[in-house]
PDB file of all heavy atoms in Angstrom:
ATOM      1  N   ASP Q 637      -8.165  10.654  58.725  1.00  0.00           N
ATOM      2  CA  ASP Q 637      -7.752   9.392  59.418  1.00  0.00           C
ATOM      3  C   ASP Q 637      -6.553   8.781  58.779  1.00  0.00           C
ATOM      4  O   ASP Q 637      -5.657   8.219  59.533  1.00  0.00           O
ATOM      5  CB  ASP Q 637      -9.031   8.457  59.419  1.00  0.00           C
ATOM      6  CG  ASP Q 637      -8.738   7.169  60.200  1.00  0.00           C
ATOM      7  OD1 ASP Q 637      -7.861   7.209  61.124  1.00  0.00           O
ATOM      8  OD2 ASP Q 637      -9.324   6.114  59.839  1.00  0.00           O
ATOM      9  N   GLU Q 638      -6.425   8.743  57.492  1.00  0.00           N
ATOM     10  CA  GLU Q 638      -5.324   8.096  56.861  1.00  0.00           C
ATOM     11  C   GLU Q 638      -4.630   9.060  55.902  1.00  0.00           C
ATOM     12  O   GLU Q 638      -5.126   9.362  54.787  1.00  0.00           O
ATOM     13  CB  GLU Q 638      -5.804   6.884  56.000  1.00  0.00           C
ATOM     14  CG  GLU Q 638      -6.484   5.759  56.921  1.00  0.00           C
ATOM     15  CD  GLU Q 638      -5.500   5.105  57.823  1.00  0.00           C
ATOM     16  OE1 GLU Q 638      -4.254   5.085  57.480  1.00  0.00           O
ATOM     17  OE2 GLU Q 638      -5.972   4.591  58.888  1.00  0.00           O
ATOM     18  N   PRO Q 639      -3.443   9.648  56.296  1.00  0.00           N
ATOM     19  CA  PRO Q 639      -2.829  10.601  55.519  1.00  0.00           C
ATOM     20  C   PRO Q 639      -2.346  10.150  54.151  1.00  0.00           C
ATOM     21  O   PRO Q 639      -2.263  10.854  53.149  1.00  0.00           O
ATOM     22  CB  PRO Q 639      -1.616  11.065  56.346  1.00  0.00           C
ATOM     23  CG  PRO Q 639      -2.024  10.718  57.698  1.00  0.00           C
ATOM     24  CD  PRO Q 639      -2.882   9.423  57.583  1.00  0.00           C
ATOM     25  N   ASN Q 640      -1.903   8.839  54.060  1.00  0.00           N
ATOM     26  CA  ASN Q 640      -1.528   8.184  52.820  1.00  0.00           C
ATOM     27  C   ASN Q 640      -0.391   8.957  52.121  1.00  0.00           C
ATOM     28  O   ASN Q 640      -0.461   9.276  50.914  1.00  0.00           O
ATOM     29  CB  ASN Q 640      -2.675   8.059  51.840  1.00  0.00           C
ATOM     30  CG  ASN Q 640      -3.653   7.111  52.419  1.00  0.00           C
ATOM     31  OD1 ASN Q 640      -3.368   6.024  52.983  1.00  0.00           O
ATOM     32  ND2 ASN Q 640      -4.962   7.409  52.229  1.00  0.00           N
ATOM     33  N   GLY Q 641       0.661   9.270  52.900  1.00  0.00           N
ATOM     34  CA  GLY Q 641       1.834   9.951  52.272  1.00  0.00           C
ATOM     35  C   GLY Q 641       2.619   9.016  51.379  1.00  0.00           C
ATOM     36  O   GLY Q 641       2.294   7.844  51.287  1.00  0.00           O
ATOM     37  N   PRO Q 642       3.783   9.460  50.897  1.00  0.00           N
ATOM     38  CA  PRO Q 642       4.587   8.592  49.957  1.00  0.00           C
ATOM     39  C   PRO Q 642       5.238   7.489  50.665  1.00  0.00           C
ATOM     40  O   PRO Q 642       5.612   7.529  51.842  1.00  0.00           O
ATOM     41  CB  PRO Q 642       5.594   9.660  49.463  1.00  0.00           C
ATOM     42  CG  PRO Q 642       5.730  10.688  50.523  1.00  0.00           C
ATOM     43  CD  PRO Q 642       4.371  10.838  51.096  1.00  0.00           C
ATOM     44  N   THR Q 643       5.348   6.397  49.947  1.00  0.00           N
ATOM     45  CA  THR Q 643       6.053   5.191  50.494  1.00  0.00           C
ATOM     46  C   THR Q 643       7.533   5.438  50.625  1.00  0.00           C
ATOM     47  O   THR Q 643       8.095   6.411  50.074  1.00  0.00           O
ATOM     48  CB  THR Q 643       5.801   3.978  49.591  1.00  0.00           C
ATOM     49  OG1 THR Q 643       6.479   4.146  48.315  1.00  0.00           O
ATOM     50  CG2 THR Q 643       4.333   3.757  49.324  1.00  0.00           C
ATOM     51  N   ILE Q 644       8.185   4.595  51.355  1.00  0.00           N
ATOM     52  CA  ILE Q 644       9.623   4.702  51.517  1.00  0.00           C
ATOM     53  C   ILE Q 644      10.306   4.476  50.170  1.00  0.00           C
ATOM     54  O   ILE Q 644      11.294   5.162  49.833  1.00  0.00           O
ATOM     55  CB  ILE Q 644      10.148   3.655  52.553  1.00  0.00           C
ATOM     56  CG1 ILE Q 644       9.787   4.182  53.945  1.00  0.00           C
ATOM     57  CG2 ILE Q 644      11.584   3.366  52.431  1.00  0.00           C
ATOM     58  CD1 ILE Q 644      10.455   5.420  54.378  1.00  0.00           C
ATOM     59  N   ARG Q 645       9.858   3.586  49.337  1.00  0.00           N
ATOM     60  CA  ARG Q 645      10.458   3.417  47.970  1.00  0.00           C
ATOM     61  C   ARG Q 645      10.380   4.722  47.180  1.00  0.00           C
ATOM     62  O   ARG Q 645      11.293   5.095  46.508  1.00  0.00           O
ATOM     63  CB  ARG Q 645       9.781   2.244  47.275  1.00  0.00           C
ATOM     64  CG  ARG Q 645      10.277   0.876  47.666  1.00  0.00           C
ATOM     65  CD  ARG Q 645       9.630  -0.243  46.871  1.00  0.00           C
ATOM     66  NE  ARG Q 645      10.268  -1.488  47.006  1.00  0.00           N
ATOM     67  CZ  ARG Q 645       9.808  -2.638  46.546  1.00  0.00           C
ATOM     68  NH1 ARG Q 645       8.682  -2.592  45.822  1.00  0.00           N
ATOM     69  NH2 ARG Q 645      10.444  -3.746  46.692  1.00  0.00           N
ATOM     70  N   GLU Q 646       9.216   5.346  47.282  1.00  0.00           N
ATOM     71  CA  GLU Q 646       9.069   6.583  46.537  1.00  0.00           C
ATOM     72  C   GLU Q 646       9.935   7.702  46.999  1.00  0.00           C
ATOM     73  O   GLU Q 646      10.290   8.622  46.304  1.00  0.00           O
ATOM     74  CB  GLU Q 646       7.548   7.077  46.597  1.00  0.00           C
ATOM     75  CG  GLU Q 646       6.634   6.148  45.780  1.00  0.00           C
ATOM     76  CD  GLU Q 646       5.180   6.505  46.039  1.00  0.00           C
ATOM     77  OE1 GLU Q 646       4.762   6.705  47.166  1.00  0.00           O
ATOM     78  OE2 GLU Q 646       4.449   6.420  44.997  1.00  0.00           O
ATOM     79  N   GLN Q 647      10.452   7.572  48.298  1.00  0.00           N
ATOM     80  CA  GLN Q 647      11.391   8.546  48.813  1.00  0.00           C
ATOM     81  C   GLN Q 647      12.801   8.160  48.632  1.00  0.00           C
ATOM     82  O   GLN Q 647      13.786   8.825  49.052  1.00  0.00           O
ATOM     83  CB  GLN Q 647      11.092   8.725  50.324  1.00  0.00           C
ATOM     84  CG  GLN Q 647       9.666   9.240  50.589  1.00  0.00           C
ATOM     85  CD  GLN Q 647       9.480   9.432  52.070  1.00  0.00           C
ATOM     86  OE1 GLN Q 647      10.160  10.201  52.778  1.00  0.00           O
ATOM     87  NE2 GLN Q 647       8.611   8.640  52.681  1.00  0.00           N
ATOM     88  N   ASN Q 648      13.018   6.938  47.981  1.00  0.00           N
ATOM     89  CA  ASN Q 648      14.398   6.403  47.832  1.00  0.00           C
ATOM     90  C   ASN Q 648      15.133   6.332  49.137  1.00  0.00           C
ATOM     91  O   ASN Q 648      16.282   6.740  49.256  1.00  0.00           O
ATOM     92  CB  ASN Q 648      15.213   7.229  46.815  1.00  0.00           C
ATOM     93  CG  ASN Q 648      14.595   7.237  45.436  1.00  0.00           C
ATOM     94  OD1 ASN Q 648      14.267   6.199  44.931  1.00  0.00           O
ATOM     95  ND2 ASN Q 648      14.474   8.408  44.859  1.00  0.00           N
ATOM     96  N   ALA Q 649      14.393   5.779  50.138  1.00  0.00           N
ATOM     97  CA  ALA Q 649      14.973   5.759  51.555  1.00  0.00           C
ATOM     98  C   ALA Q 649      14.841   4.430  52.234  1.00  0.00           C
ATOM     99  O   ALA Q 649      14.674   4.341  53.400  1.00  0.00           O
ATOM    100  CB  ALA Q 649      14.249   6.842  52.357  1.00  0.00           C
ATOM    101  N   THR Q 650      14.801   3.401  51.403  1.00  0.00           N
ATOM    102  CA  THR Q 650      14.666   2.041  52.004  1.00  0.00           C
ATOM    103  C   THR Q 650      15.800   1.670  52.853  1.00  0.00           C
ATOM    104  O   THR Q 650      16.869   2.115  52.775  1.00  0.00           O
ATOM    105  CB  THR Q 650      14.496   0.959  50.815  1.00  0.00           C
ATOM    106  OG1 THR Q 650      15.694   1.041  50.019  1.00  0.00           O
ATOM    107  CG2 THR Q 650      13.266   1.227  49.961  1.00  0.00           C
ATOM    108  N   GLY Q 651      15.503   0.726  53.747  1.00  0.00           N
ATOM    109  CA  GLY Q 651      16.513   0.176  54.704  1.00  0.00           C
ATOM    110  C   GLY Q 651      16.090   0.267  56.150  1.00  0.00           C
ATOM    111  O   GLY Q 651      14.895   0.463  56.472  1.00  0.00           O
ATOM    112  N   ALA Q 652      17.024  -0.039  57.040  1.00  0.00           N
ATOM    113  CA  ALA Q 652      16.738  -0.033  58.465  1.00  0.00           C
ATOM    114  C   ALA Q 652      17.397   1.208  59.122  1.00  0.00           C
ATOM    115  O   ALA Q 652      18.595   1.456  58.893  1.00  0.00           O
ATOM    116  CB  ALA Q 652      17.284  -1.311  59.132  1.00  0.00           C
ATOM    117  N   VAL Q 653      16.601   1.915  59.888  1.00  0.00           N
ATOM    118  CA  VAL Q 653      17.136   3.129  60.549  1.00  0.00           C
ATOM    119  C   VAL Q 653      16.795   3.086  62.018  1.00  0.00           C
ATOM    120  O   VAL Q 653      15.907   2.358  62.472  1.00  0.00           O
ATOM    121  CB  VAL Q 653      16.526   4.391  59.909  1.00  0.00           C
ATOM    122  CG1 VAL Q 653      16.910   4.491  58.405  1.00  0.00           C
ATOM    123  CG2 VAL Q 653      15.024   4.459  60.108  1.00  0.00           C
ATOM    124  N   THR Q 654      17.556   3.873  62.721  1.00  0.00           N
ATOM    125  CA  THR Q 654      17.405   3.962  64.145  1.00  0.00           C
ATOM    126  C   THR Q 654      16.845   5.302  64.619  1.00  0.00           C
ATOM    127  O   THR Q 654      17.269   6.338  64.111  1.00  0.00           O
ATOM    128  CB  THR Q 654      18.759   3.750  64.925  1.00  0.00           C
ATOM    129  OG1 THR Q 654      19.352   2.421  64.506  1.00  0.00           O
ATOM    130  CG2 THR Q 654      18.659   3.742  66.414  1.00  0.00           C
ATOM    131  N   VAL Q 655      15.886   5.278  65.519  1.00  0.00           N
ATOM    132  CA  VAL Q 655      15.331   6.521  66.054  1.00  0.00           C
ATOM    133  C   VAL Q 655      16.430   7.324  66.832  1.00  0.00           C
ATOM    134  O   VAL Q 655      17.176   6.730  67.617  1.00  0.00           O
ATOM    135  CB  VAL Q 655      14.210   6.217  67.044  1.00  0.00           C
ATOM    136  CG1 VAL Q 655      13.649   7.558  67.624  1.00  0.00           C
ATOM    137  CG2 VAL Q 655      13.063   5.482  66.350  1.00  0.00           C
ATOM    138  N   HIS Q 656      16.554   8.611  66.462  1.00  0.00           N
ATOM    139  CA  HIS Q 656      17.543   9.387  67.200  1.00  0.00           C
ATOM    140  C   HIS Q 656      17.041  10.861  67.325  1.00  0.00           C
ATOM    141  O   HIS Q 656      16.111  11.243  66.648  1.00  0.00           O
ATOM    142  CB  HIS Q 656      18.861   9.438  66.449  1.00  0.00           C
ATOM    143  CG  HIS Q 656      18.847   9.917  65.069  1.00  0.00           C
ATOM    144  ND1 HIS Q 656      18.489   9.091  64.001  1.00  0.00           N
ATOM    145  CD2 HIS Q 656      19.133  11.138  64.522  1.00  0.00           C
ATOM    146  CE1 HIS Q 656      18.523   9.731  62.849  1.00  0.00           C
ATOM    147  NE2 HIS Q 656      18.894  11.012  63.187  1.00  0.00           N
ATOM    148  N   GLY Q 657      17.612  11.574  68.318  1.00  0.00           N
ATOM    149  CA  GLY Q 657      17.070  12.837  68.611  1.00  0.00           C
ATOM    150  C   GLY Q 657      16.046  12.732  69.732  1.00  0.00           C
ATOM    151  O   GLY Q 657      15.856  11.720  70.408  1.00  0.00           O
ATOM    152  N   GLY Q 658      15.247  13.702  69.970  1.00  0.00           N
ATOM    153  CA  GLY Q 658      14.258  13.713  70.978  1.00  0.00           C
ATOM    154  C   GLY Q 658      14.724  14.356  72.302  1.00  0.00           C
ATOM    155  O   GLY Q 658      15.925  14.585  72.514  1.00  0.00           O
ATOM    156  N   SER Q 659      13.810  14.672  73.189  1.00  0.00           N
ATOM    157  CA  SER Q 659      14.086  15.422  74.381  1.00  0.00           C
ATOM    158  C   SER Q 659      14.529  14.493  75.507  1.00  0.00           C
ATOM    159  O   SER Q 659      14.978  15.069  76.536  1.00  0.00           O
ATOM    160  CB  SER Q 659      12.901  16.205  74.813  1.00  0.00           C
ATOM    161  OG  SER Q 659      11.787  15.387  75.117  1.00  0.00           O
ATOM    162  N   ARG Q 660      14.380  13.238  75.338  1.00  0.00           N
ATOM    163  CA  ARG Q 660      14.725  12.297  76.507  1.00  0.00           C
ATOM    164  C   ARG Q 660      15.649  11.209  76.029  1.00  0.00           C
ATOM    165  O   ARG Q 660      15.533  10.071  76.442  1.00  0.00           O
ATOM    166  CB  ARG Q 660      13.479  11.761  77.097  1.00  0.00           C
ATOM    167  CG  ARG Q 660      12.626  12.739  77.907  1.00  0.00           C
ATOM    168  CD  ARG Q 660      11.449  12.086  78.570  1.00  0.00           C
ATOM    169  NE  ARG Q 660      10.631  13.024  79.327  1.00  0.00           N
ATOM    170  CZ  ARG Q 660       9.502  12.690  79.945  1.00  0.00           C
ATOM    171  NH1 ARG Q 660       9.026  11.446  79.851  1.00  0.00           N
ATOM    172  NH2 ARG Q 660       8.827  13.602  80.550  1.00  0.00           N
ATOM    173  N   GLU Q 661      16.622  11.551  75.175  1.00  0.00           N
ATOM    174  CA  GLU Q 661      17.578  10.538  74.893  1.00  0.00           C
ATOM    175  C   GLU Q 661      18.392  10.126  76.099  1.00  0.00           C
ATOM    176  O   GLU Q 661      18.710  10.980  76.978  1.00  0.00           O
ATOM    177  CB  GLU Q 661      18.525  11.059  73.780  1.00  0.00           C
ATOM    178  CG  GLU Q 661      17.914  10.987  72.375  1.00  0.00           C
ATOM    179  CD  GLU Q 661      19.020  11.075  71.287  1.00  0.00           C
ATOM    180  OE1 GLU Q 661      19.831  11.963  71.381  1.00  0.00           O
ATOM    181  OE2 GLU Q 661      18.955  10.230  70.422  1.00  0.00           O
ATOM    182  N   THR Q 662      18.598   8.933  76.279  1.00  0.00           N
ATOM    183  CA  THR Q 662      19.307   8.395  77.490  1.00  0.00           C
ATOM    184  C   THR Q 662      20.499   7.583  77.091  1.00  0.00           C
ATOM    185  O   THR Q 662      20.614   6.887  76.031  1.00  0.00           O
ATOM    186  CB  THR Q 662      18.336   7.545  78.349  1.00  0.00           C
ATOM    187  OG1 THR Q 662      19.012   7.008  79.436  1.00  0.00           O
ATOM    188  CG2 THR Q 662      17.742   6.388  77.507  1.00  0.00           C
ATOM    189  N   VAL Q 663      21.523   7.583  78.031  1.00  0.00           N
ATOM    190  CA  VAL Q 663      22.648   6.749  77.809  1.00  0.00           C
ATOM    191  C   VAL Q 663      22.504   5.362  78.192  1.00  0.00           C
ATOM    192  O   VAL Q 663      23.303   4.430  77.875  1.00  0.00           O
ATOM    193  CB  VAL Q 663      23.862   7.333  78.657  1.00  0.00           C
ATOM    194  CG1 VAL Q 663      24.244   8.689  78.122  1.00  0.00           C
ATOM    195  CG2 VAL Q 663      23.605   7.361  80.098  1.00  0.00           C
ATOM    196  N   LEU Q 664      21.368   5.077  78.896  1.00  0.00           N
ATOM    197  CA  LEU Q 664      21.056   3.698  79.306  1.00  0.00           C
ATOM    198  C   LEU Q 664      20.483   2.882  78.181  1.00  0.00           C
ATOM    199  O   LEU Q 664      19.581   3.317  77.442  1.00  0.00           O
ATOM    200  CB  LEU Q 664      20.042   3.664  80.474  1.00  0.00           C
ATOM    201  CG  LEU Q 664      20.450   4.161  81.813  1.00  0.00           C
ATOM    202  CD1 LEU Q 664      19.370   4.172  82.827  1.00  0.00           C
ATOM    203  CD2 LEU Q 664      21.660   3.276  82.344  1.00  0.00           C
ATOM    204  N   PRO Q 665      21.070   1.673  77.916  1.00  0.00           N
ATOM    205  CA  PRO Q 665      20.458   0.822  76.907  1.00  0.00           C
ATOM    206  C   PRO Q 665      19.120   0.305  77.388  1.00  0.00           C
ATOM    207  O   PRO Q 665      18.810   0.343  78.608  1.00  0.00           O
ATOM    208  CB  PRO Q 665      21.515  -0.328  76.761  1.00  0.00           C
ATOM    209  CG  PRO Q 665      22.230  -0.352  78.072  1.00  0.00           C
ATOM    210  CD  PRO Q 665      22.166   1.072  78.554  1.00  0.00           C
ATOM    211  N   SER Q 666      18.335  -0.202  76.473  1.00  0.00           N
ATOM    212  CA  SER Q 666      17.069  -0.818  76.874  1.00  0.00           C
ATOM    213  C   SER Q 666      17.251  -2.091  77.574  1.00  0.00           C
ATOM    214  O   SER Q 666      18.289  -2.793  77.493  1.00  0.00           O
ATOM    215  CB  SER Q 666      16.176  -1.052  75.649  1.00  0.00           C
ATOM    216  OG  SER Q 666      16.668  -2.114  74.849  1.00  0.00           O
ATOM    217  N   ILE Q 667      16.245  -2.465  78.363  1.00  0.00           N
ATOM    218  CA  ILE Q 667      16.287  -3.751  79.092  1.00  0.00           C
ATOM    219  C   ILE Q 667      16.415  -4.945  78.184  1.00  0.00           C
ATOM    220  O   ILE Q 667      17.245  -5.780  78.395  1.00  0.00           O
ATOM    221  CB  ILE Q 667      15.081  -3.905  80.024  1.00  0.00           C
ATOM    222  CG1 ILE Q 667      15.173  -2.873  81.159  1.00  0.00           C
ATOM    223  CG2 ILE Q 667      14.981  -5.329  80.614  1.00  0.00           C
ATOM    224  CD1 ILE Q 667      13.905  -2.746  82.067  1.00  0.00           C
ATOM    225  N   PRO Q 668      15.653  -5.012  77.125  1.00  0.00           N
ATOM    226  CA  PRO Q 668      15.851  -6.154  76.086  1.00  0.00           C
ATOM    227  C   PRO Q 668      17.267  -6.185  75.565  1.00  0.00           C
ATOM    228  O   PRO Q 668      17.791  -7.274  75.324  1.00  0.00           O
ATOM    229  CB  PRO Q 668      14.816  -5.879  75.106  1.00  0.00           C
ATOM    230  CG  PRO Q 668      13.678  -5.094  75.798  1.00  0.00           C
ATOM    231  CD  PRO Q 668      14.437  -4.181  76.741  1.00  0.00           C
ATOM    232  N   ALA Q 669      17.833  -5.022  75.241  1.00  0.00           N
ATOM    233  CA  ALA Q 669      19.201  -4.988  74.683  1.00  0.00           C
ATOM    234  C   ALA Q 669      20.251  -5.597  75.691  1.00  0.00           C
ATOM    235  O   ALA Q 669      21.068  -6.386  75.327  1.00  0.00           O
ATOM    236  CB  ALA Q 669      19.581  -3.591  74.313  1.00  0.00           C
ATOM    237  N   VAL Q 670      20.078  -5.203  76.912  1.00  0.00           N
ATOM    238  CA  VAL Q 670      20.987  -5.683  77.962  1.00  0.00           C
ATOM    239  C   VAL Q 670      20.843  -7.183  78.118  1.00  0.00           C
ATOM    240  O   VAL Q 670      21.816  -7.997  78.149  1.00  0.00           O
ATOM    241  CB  VAL Q 670      20.806  -4.985  79.255  1.00  0.00           C
ATOM    242  CG1 VAL Q 670      21.633  -5.645  80.380  1.00  0.00           C
ATOM    243  CG2 VAL Q 670      21.226  -3.498  79.162  1.00  0.00           C
ATOM    244  N   VAL Q 671      19.634  -7.654  78.298  1.00  0.00           N
ATOM    245  CA  VAL Q 671      19.317  -9.033  78.528  1.00  0.00           C
ATOM    246  C   VAL Q 671      19.722  -9.866  77.317  1.00  0.00           C
ATOM    247  O   VAL Q 671      20.394 -10.953  77.412  1.00  0.00           O
ATOM    248  CB  VAL Q 671      17.838  -9.290  78.799  1.00  0.00           C
ATOM    249  CG1 VAL Q 671      17.492 -10.816  78.778  1.00  0.00           C
ATOM    250  CG2 VAL Q 671      17.466  -8.692  80.127  1.00  0.00           C
TER     251      VAL Q 671
END
Side-chain angles (χ1 to χ4, degrees):
D637 183 27
E638 298 295 333
N640 295 321
T643 67
I644 284 296
R645 277 182 170 175
E646 291 173 316
Q647 299 181 63
N648 296 315
T650 58
V653 298
T654 301
V655 177
H656 58 278
S659 61
R660 288 186 180 174
E661 280 198 310
T662 174
V663 295
L664 289 177
S666 69
I667 292 172
V670 171
V671 172

